[in-house]
Amino acid sequence: MKVIVQLLFFTLAFTTFSQSNTKICDYKINMETEEEIFKLTQESLAEFMVGNGQTVFMYFSLMKQGNIKSFVLHTSLNAVEMPPIICYNDKSRVTFQLESGEFVSAPYLGEETCGRQSKGEESLNNMTSEGSFYLDDVSIKRLSNSPLNTMRITTMNTNFDVNFKKVISNEQIAKPIYPREFFVENLSCIE
């Protein structure tokens, strides 16, 4: 009887440990049928900058359509002056430098596109853009094994460099966000 109780205890402990280490993915869309696979995770704040009469917010999400895996970069600029428009084409890409010292370059997927601008009557002017960037197997392996350090966004008209914060935390955010860990923590959601 004692052996059965011990086995039951170890089974329960192992099950609890396994469940606590399993990543729970937060999907905006999760459709998997015999004909089609489409997964899109919820957006996660990756960076924000405030100053010089403007605010910049960048969000990441992950997408899988069939066998194609990518990450989506959503950018929102709010400023007193009309913010520049961001456009992507087949020469656009995002390049990450990882804490390991390795680099990952993800080319833009899709047709040439530009963001949207809107003039604020009683508020700031706004520009939003969204682009999807291809992740091959080598990129996924590197991003899975090392946190991010920096990112360069190459658009049709300019480059933007971003140094990721280790943690984003303030009273308006319910839980701290760790942008450098985004891929390490979330790539399993599109496997």
Side-chain angles (χ1 to χ4, degrees), residues 2 20 24 45 55 82 92 111 114 128 134 136 143 184 189:
K2 185 178 177 181
S20 67
I24 298 172
L45 182 63
T55 59
M82 183 59 77
S92 299
E111 297 179 16
C114 289
T128 58
Y134 176 68
D136 63 17
L143 289 167
V184 172
C189 294

Side-chain angles (χ1 to χ4, degrees), residues 78-82 118-126:
N78 301 294
V80 175
E81 299 292 323
M82 183 59 77
S118 59
K119 184 153 183 61
E121 296 297 323
E122 297 178 22
S123 61
L124 297 174
N125 298 303
N126 178 264

Side-chain angles (χ1 to χ4, degrees), residues 10 21 28 47 57 78 83 87-88 95 98 100 106 114 121 123 129 135 144 146 165 171-173 186:
F10 285 121
N21 285 336
K28 189 182 273 189
E47 184 59 56
F57 292 93
N78 301 294
C87 298
Y88 298 113
T95 304
L98 308 179
S100 66
C114 289
E121 296 297 323
S123 61
S129 74
L135 297 173
S144 296
S146 179
K165 296 173 179 63
E171 57 276 350
Q172 282 110 11
I173 299 173
N186 295 291

